[in-house]
Amino acid sequence: MFKAAIMGFGTVGSGVYEVLDRNADVVAKNARDAIEVKYILDLRDFPDAPHQEKFIKDFSIIENDPEVSIVAETMGGKGAAYEFTKRCLLAGKHVVTSNKELVATHGAELLNIAKESGVNYMFEASVGGGIPIIRPMLQCLTANHMTHVTGILNGTTNYILTRMIDAGLTFETALKEAQEKGYAEANPAADVDGIDACRKICILSDIAYGDHIHPEYVETEGISKITLEDVSYAAQADCVVKLLGRAVLNEDGSIYAFVAPHLVSKKSPLADVDDVFNAILITGDMLGDAMFYGQGAGKLATASAVVADIIDCARHNEHRRMVSWGDGSKNLVRPLDSFASRWYVRLEGADAAKRLIDTFPGCDMLKAAKTGEEAACITAECTTAEMKEKAAALGSVTGCMRLL
Amino acid sequence: MFKAAIMGFGTVGSGVYEVLDRNADVVAKNARDAIEVKYILDLRDFPDAPHQEKFIKDFSIIENDPEVSIVAETMGGKGAAYEFTKRCLLAGKHVVTSNKELVATHGAELLNIAKESGVNYMFEASVGGGIPIIRPMLQCLTANHMTHVTGILNGTTNYILTRMIDAGLTFETALKEAQEKGYAEANPAADVDGIDACRKICILSDIAYGDHIHPEYVETEGISKITLEDVSYAAQADCVVKLLGRAVLNEDGSIYAFVAPHLVSKKSPLADVDDVFNAILITGDMLGDAMFYGQGAGKLATASAVVADIIDCARHNEHRRMVSWGDGSKNLVRPLDSFASRWYVRLEGADAAKRLIDTFPGCDMLKAAKTGEEAACITAECTTAEMKEKAAALGSVTGCMRLL
């Protein structure tokens, strides 16, 4: 019998309890022993929850109970979660988590502490919710240089964009609908501004490239400026608008890492990923493309990934997974200035079409929604620095996105 | 420095050598040590291959060399491959393989021998080529009952069906094209008749349900009877024709396991999987759907999965992965008679439409390609036994497939 504790009884934490309870049979079979939740730590009261005797408000009870060997941190944030995680690891307890903010910020340090304490720090649920992605990258793609990591990493923004594309809703209406359905928070900034996707592409890059990629160094652009006109121009170019987190490997081992809305060709498997679904497309130099697709969020889906980590800790209680990455001193992230792609550019003004053609010789013009008032085109390959310069010179650019 | 041997220098075996050679840097980094191929076993001569000194024809050299700790079996078949694998495991060597026929037939026994010898038998490359699927199932989906495993598991047949759908080629022409491109063998039976897909769904079922599923007990139907008319009727029903390997979990723990062409709704993520690509869609009771997509074959893609297994053996040389399943005595496979689905039925004859409506009340009629000569419909849910009985009574059924 393994004894576990859950820290944080929100959506994911209560889901972890539910999965352990409802699927106790398969959990015990796969863990080679039953797993019992001994404590649930939360400062709030849950008078309607069963097993009131398990609820505690004092972290040190978990820290000081040698019987508890595995702790699920589902609190979120990098305040108390950071401190409690460190203290659990130092106390010789495995910690598993869905906390992408903490892993993206302090993952390298926490993995080191885990290593020194001879325990595991696992975070399969931190990217892609229930989709297996962390282990496949760590264990199955190890014979590859991962040349591209490209992900639809945030379900909220993908839902909003899908509703704009399929139902013709404006960004504001689609956001409101997402909030009503519980897909978006009252304050949607972390999703809509790409901050959540940024944390996730950082974690994937940490694993793919072996050194800490700090979220601050990753250029991040959200979707709040996307309009129905952009969606319509994208369709003309046989594309859909998607928010992508991307990491691209350069020959010298440095990477481009960024989050931005893109025009994704309908030929890409990512173009079919709709609603709240997530997908991560990984290109290996030997493997070619592999894609991992599924529910990127959701209580039970995410919780089932946390519980899989708990099972892994229980099953291999004596061994440590050798997972780690550097402290970030390699400074792998190269500024985007030299990163080249084709671009979608939309420009206001009566002479917009002529100005686009003059600025981007050989570009493919799109049919303007309002002829004589604006124009849009797909450019040839052009670096980010060039594009910035040309857009500044043009002045009235109302839309600008890379193509994938 | 780890010393490895490759048994079988065909497509995958030579690919394993190439991946180890070309990506020696990333292999050594992930394995925590360099991996050197000491021997290549093949009865054929390869006068143009480099490192002639590594080629041997006598298996016992590998068996008796204590320096060789990891052996890649890329011979295929279940004759010599079976014997050599057993002897390597008994000699205390890890064995990794892409040999689906051997894993599907003798996997349970070989895993047991590996366990007793304290070594690993790994087979990530046996299903889905380079797509990570075995480890994700073994390690990431462990908190779930896997209610459905549904796969496009054979690239050759998927290529043929894609060409029939997209280019209007007949089965025979598409097969010939696949042979010219090297996607299909001169004798294409193992692919076209669903035998290869059957082996793969057996391996996935072994893992998902924990007991040996023998290929002989898995009803298997290929694609050689599919016509362009079927493809066209499918399009009318907003579906595409795909060859699926399926395992479906019943409440009592028994399963339906089978391979057959299906009409797959265009709303399913499997419908977009074209050409030689493979995909495996897994439904977990907590997770919902997750899909794994990529190149299901190909020299370097498959080889990179074999090499990932080699790396895993090297990295965890001291530990054993606890992978095993029962000997098949649970007899999990239930006959398909009681398995219900909606069906596509196509019938010849002047009165075909009337006879379909009489036989399948409430069915959705499709627009006949040749009015007055045949008719086709989509039925309501109906068990396999009922369908067999009704089709036998109708007599002139020219097409009959389940819907997904």
Side-chain angles (χ1 to χ4, degrees):
Chain A
M1 169 81 80
F2 287 95
K3 304 271 185 180
I6 297 171
M7 305 196 297
F9 200 65
T11 305
V12 179
S14 60
V16 169
Y17 190 87
E18 186 175 337
V19 170
L20 285 170
D21 185 47
R22 283 173 55 184
N23 273 0
D25 59 343
V26 68
V27 168
K29 193 179 111 199
N30 286 321
R32 269 61 166 177
D33 204 345
I35 291 173
E36 191 204 359
V37 175
K38 188 166 181 185
Y39 304 114
I40 300 169
L41 177 74
D42 206 301
L43 293 181
R44 296 165 294 179
D45 291 316
F46 297 89
D48 299 330
H51 300 292
Q52 287 293 321
E53 77 284 3
K54 294 182 191 291
F55 281 84
I56 57 170
K57 295 187 196 308
D58 175 5
F59 166 70
S60 68
I61 296 173
I62 295 172
E63 187 181 22
N64 295 321
D65 187 337
E67 226 185 22
V68 173
S69 56
I70 306 170
V71 179
E73 184 269 294
T74 49
M75 306 163 66
K78 51 188 182 181
Y82 179 40
E83 187 199 330
F84 293 174
T85 297
K86 269 202 285 197
R87 286 167 61 181
C88 284
L89 294 171
L90 288 169
K93 300 174 195 308
H94 303 292
V95 178
V96 305
T97 190
S98 57
N99 186 338
K100 50 222 147 200
E101 186 178 1
L102 186 58
V103 177
T105 314
H106 297 293
E109 181 199 356
L110 293 169
L111 283 164
N112 257 333
I113 296 174
K115 186 177 175 184
E116 281 166 21
S117 304
V119 291
N120 288 304
Y121 181 53
M122 291 187 175
F123 44 90
E124 182 63 66
S126 66
V127 182
I131 309 169
I133 179 63
I134 304 291
R135 273 184 190 70
M137 286 180 77
L138 284 168
Q139 297 180 20
C140 303
L141 306 181
T142 46
N144 285 272
H145 297 96
M146 297 185 217
T147 58
H148 296 80
V149 179
T150 316
I152 294 174
L153 299 169
N154 180 272
T156 308
T157 46
N158 203 45
Y159 180 82
I160 292 170
L161 290 170
T162 302
R163 294 295 287 161
M164 291 175 71
I165 295 164
D166 290 355
L169 304 185
T170 62
F171 169 78
E172 291 74 16
T173 310
L175 169 59
K176 192 174 284 179
E177 188 183 276
Q179 286 170 323
E180 282 162 11
K181 292 204 170 200
Y183 297 154
E185 317 257 339
N187 177 353
D191 291 322
V192 165
D193 296 342
I195 299 166
D196 177 74
C198 172
R199 289 169 186 150
K200 291 167 176 169
I201 195 65
C202 285
I203 296 172
L204 297 179
S205 302
D206 293 339
I207 293 171
Y209 306 111
D211 200 43
H212 176 57
I213 306 297
H214 198 286
E216 277 177 27
Y217 301 155
V218 173
E219 269 193 40
T220 298
E221 188 189 329
I223 64 162
S224 56
K225 289 183 201 154
I226 308 291
T227 66
L228 287 175
E229 286 77 17
D230 295 324
V231 166
S232 162
Y233 282 121
Q236 267 192 61
D238 216 24
C239 291
V240 287
V241 179
K242 294 284 180 195
L243 181 67
L244 300 180
R246 296 181 64 185
V248 179
L249 178 64
N250 297 307
E251 286 208 350
D252 65 358
S254 72
I255 63 167
Y256 298 112
F258 60 105
V259 174
H262 280 69
L263 262 62
V264 175
S265 162
K266 284 185 183 164
K267 286 181 189 148
S268 165
L270 290 170
D272 299 313
V273 177
D274 285 334
D275 297 318
V276 293
F277 281 83
N278 285 17
I280 299 105
L281 184 69
I282 296 188
T283 310
D285 59 346
M286 297 294 136
L287 171 68
D289 285 347
M291 190 175 80
F292 305 79
Y293 165 95
Q295 288 191 53
K299 175 175 172 165
L300 294 179
T302 306
S304 87
V306 176
V307 173
D309 279 351
I310 293 177
I311 292 168
D312 202 5
C313 289
R315 196 197 301 194
H316 300 99
N317 192 32
E318 306 299 309
H319 310 319
R320 271 204 69 250
R321 298 255 177 221
M322 285 184 271
V323 179
S324 66
W325 53 77
D327 61 4
S329 55
K330 287 190 190 166
N331 284 312
L332 290 182
V333 179
R334 189 195 282 192
L336 285 181
D337 291 352
S338 51
F339 181 64
S341 22
R342 301 186 73 194
W343 297 76
Y344 153 79
V345 183
R346 184 178 158 212
L347 185 68
E348 271 184 346
D351 57 349
K354 184 176 179 308
R355 294 178 66 210
L356 282 178
I357 293 169
D358 290 347
T359 309
F360 303 105
C363 67
D364 296 329
M365 294 302 297
L366 300 169
K367 193 170 168 298
K370 297 171 267 181
T371 317
E373 290 176 43
E374 68 168 24
C377 74
I378 306 293
T379 73
E381 278 225 337
C382 159
T383 67
T384 306
E386 282 175 295
M387 180 51 71
K388 273 187 193 160
E389 197 178 309
K390 289 182 173 182
L394 283 167
S396 49
V397 170
T398 50
C400 188
M401 286 183 261
R402 291 182 187 84
L403 260 69
L404 180 86
Chain B
M1 170 82 80
F2 287 96
K3 305 271 183 178
I6 299 171
M7 303 195 298
F9 200 66
T11 304
V12 179
S14 60
V16 169
Y17 190 86
E18 186 175 337
V19 170
L20 285 169
D21 184 46
R22 281 173 56 184
N23 274 1
D25 58 343
V26 68
V27 167
K29 193 180 110 199
N30 286 321
R32 268 65 164 174
D33 204 345
I35 292 173
E36 190 204 1
V37 175
K38 188 167 181 183
Y39 305 114
I40 300 169
L41 177 74
D42 206 300
L43 294 181
R44 297 166 293 180
D45 291 314
F46 297 89
D48 299 330
H51 301 292
Q52 287 292 324
E53 78 283 2
K54 295 183 191 291
F55 282 84
I56 58 170
K57 294 185 196 309
D58 175 5
F59 165 71
S60 69
I61 295 173
I62 294 172
E63 187 181 24
N64 295 321
D65 187 338
E67 226 185 23
V68 173
S69 56
I70 308 170
V71 179
E73 184 270 293
T74 48
M75 305 163 65
K78 50 187 183 182
Y82 179 40
E83 188 199 328
F84 293 174
T85 296
K86 270 202 284 198
R87 286 167 61 181
C88 283
L89 294 171
L90 289 168
K93 300 174 196 306
H94 304 292
V95 177
V96 304
T97 190
S98 57
N99 186 339
K100 51 224 147 199
E101 186 178 2
L102 186 57
V103 177
T105 315
H106 298 293
E109 181 199 357
L110 293 170
L111 283 165
N112 257 332
I113 297 174
K115 186 178 175 183
E116 281 166 22
S117 304
V119 291
N120 288 304
Y121 182 52
M122 293 186 173
F123 44 88
E124 181 62 67
S126 66
V127 182
I131 308 170
I133 179 64
I134 305 291
R135 273 184 190 72
M137 287 181 77
L138 284 169
Q139 297 181 19
C140 303
L141 306 180
T142 47
N144 286 272
H145 297 97
M146 297 184 218
T147 58
H148 295 80
V149 179
T150 316
I152 295 174
L153 299 169
N154 179 270
T156 308
T157 46
N158 203 46
Y159 179 83
I160 292 170
L161 290 170
T162 302
R163 292 296 287 162
M164 291 175 71
I165 295 164
D166 290 354
L169 304 185
T170 63
F171 169 77
E172 291 74 16
T173 311
L175 170 58
K176 192 173 287 180
E177 189 183 273
Q179 286 170 322
E180 283 162 8
K181 291 203 170 202
Y183 298 154
E185 316 256 339
N187 177 353
D191 292 321
V192 164
D193 295 344
I195 299 166
D196 176 74
C198 173
R199 290 170 185 149
K200 291 168 177 170
I201 194 66
C202 285
I203 296 173
L204 297 178
S205 301
D206 294 337
I207 294 172
Y209 308 111
D211 201 43
H212 176 56
I213 307 298
H214 198 285
E216 276 176 29
Y217 300 154
V218 174
E219 269 193 40
T220 299
E221 188 189 330
I223 64 162
S224 57
K225 289 183 201 154
I226 307 293
T227 65
L228 287 175
E229 286 77 16
D230 295 323
V231 166
S232 161
Y233 283 122
Q236 267 192 61
D238 216 23
C239 290
V240 287
V241 179
K242 294 284 179 194
L243 181 67
L244 300 181
R246 296 182 64 185
V248 179
L249 178 64
N250 297 305
E251 285 207 353
D252 65 358
S254 71
I255 63 167
Y256 298 113
F258 60 106
V259 174
H262 281 68
L263 261 62
V264 175
S265 162
K266 285 185 183 164
K267 287 180 190 150
S268 165
L270 289 170
D272 299 313
V273 177
D274 286 334
D275 297 319
V276 292
F277 282 83
N278 284 18
I280 300 105
L281 184 69
I282 296 189
T283 310
D285 60 347
M286 298 293 137
L287 171 69
D289 285 347
M291 189 174 81
F292 305 79
Y293 166 95
Q295 287 192 52
K299 175 176 174 167
L300 294 178
T302 305
S304 87
V306 176
V307 173
D309 278 352
I310 294 177
I311 291 169
D312 202 4
C313 289
R315 197 196 303 193
H316 300 99
N317 193 33
E318 307 300 310
H319 311 319
R320 270 203 70 252
R321 299 255 177 222
M322 285 182 271
V323 179
S324 66
W325 54 75
D327 61 4
S329 55
K330 287 189 191 165
N331 283 313
L332 290 181
V333 178
R334 188 194 281 192
L336 285 180
D337 291 354
S338 50
F339 180 65
S341 22
R342 302 187 71 195
W343 298 75
Y344 153 80
V345 183
R346 182 176 160 215
L347 185 67
E348 270 185 347
D351 57 350
K354 183 176 180 306
R355 295 178 66 211
L356 282 178
I357 293 168
D358 289 347
T359 309
F360 304 104
C363 67
D364 296 328
M365 294 302 295
L366 299 170
K367 191 168 169 299
K370 297 170 269 181
T371 319
E373 290 176 42
E374 68 167 23
C377 74
I378 306 293
T379 74
E381 278 226 336
C382 161
T383 66
T384 307
E386 283 175 294
M387 180 51 70
K388 273 187 193 161
E389 199 179 307
K390 289 183 172 181
L394 283 167
S396 51
V397 170
T398 50
C400 187
M401 286 183 261
R402 292 181 187 84
L403 259 69
L404 180 87

